[in-house]
Amino acid sequence: GWLATGDIGVIDGSGYLAITDRKKDLLVTSGGKNVAPQPIEHVLRANPLVGEAIVLGDRRRYIAALLVPDFGALERRLQALGRPPAPPEALVLREDVLALYQEIVDGLNRDLPPFERIKRFALLAAEFSVATGELTPTLKVRRKVVEERWRDAIEALYAG
């Protein structure tokens, strides 16, 4: 007597169902488009400047991403471009660094259908780790933990 939707939920004390997660990593935008985040994240992580990538957009108007730079590769790139180094907290806010990552996102977007294109992204200054719970012991990203920890950055992507 159950309808298989791919959602995970709990039934509260009043008998109401509350959806708490998705069984499969499939994002469904508010427009009803299904987006598989893994292929997009894989292409992003293939770039040497990207350490980690999380694609967002479940029940949202558009697709966005959280990107963790590979800070070693980023510093080498900045040095090659003759730009000054800085601590990670400052790098993720610099316009020249954001422009480098915008080029990466733009290159990916050219090969995606419009509803899968990343409209906005944020650079994070801290790498994901097992200690913070963002990665499993086998180094897989725990999407729900990342979304909880970086809630403010995610809300900023969808504000306005």
Side-chain angles (χ1 to χ4, degrees):
W2 290 93
L3 174 64
T5 64
D7 293 312
I8 296 173
V10 295
I11 298 178
D12 65 15
S14 303
Y16 290 100
L17 173 66
I19 304 297
T20 58
D21 205 356
R22 299 216 34 95
K23 189 172 181 179
K24 297 179 183 175
D25 271 344
L26 188 66
L27 305 176
V28 181
T29 66
S30 61
K33 297 290 189 181
N34 293 330
V35 178
Q38 295 90 349
I40 300 170
E41 292 167 353
H42 178 73
V43 172
L44 287 167
R45 283 193 303 268
N47 188 293
L49 293 178
V50 178
E52 287 292 339
I54 297 289
V55 174
L56 310 162
D58 197 39
R59 299 182 183 106
R60 304 274 191 162
R61 296 185 319 263
Y62 53 85
I63 301 299
L66 296 177
L67 303 176
V68 179
D70 180 321
F71 289 103
L74 177 58
E75 285 186 28
R76 289 188 297 277
R77 180 70 170 276
L78 291 174
Q79 185 179 19
L81 295 171
R83 297 180 186 159
E89 296 78 19
L91 283 176
V92 299
L93 300 174
R94 280 184 21 189
E95 291 297 322
D96 61 333
V97 172
L98 290 169
L100 286 173
Y101 286 88
Q102 186 65 56
E103 288 176 20
I104 294 168
V105 170
D106 290 345
L108 168 67
N109 281 343
R110 280 192 287 274
D111 298 329
L112 294 174
F115 67 90
E116 288 186 353
R117 291 182 184 149
I118 297 170
K119 304 286 189 261
R120 298 186 71 191
F121 69 92
L123 295 179
L124 304 179
E127 295 177 352
F128 299 155
S129 74
V130 175
T132 58
E134 295 160 323
L135 297 176
T136 67
T138 59
L139 303 181
K140 293 182 183 126
V141 175
R142 288 185 171 142
R143 188 174 300 278
K144 193 170 185 178
V145 174
V146 170
E147 289 177 7
E148 180 64 30
R149 179 169 180 212
W150 299 100
R151 181 183 311 189
D152 292 342
I154 293 169
E155 291 305 318
L157 291 173
Y158 290 100

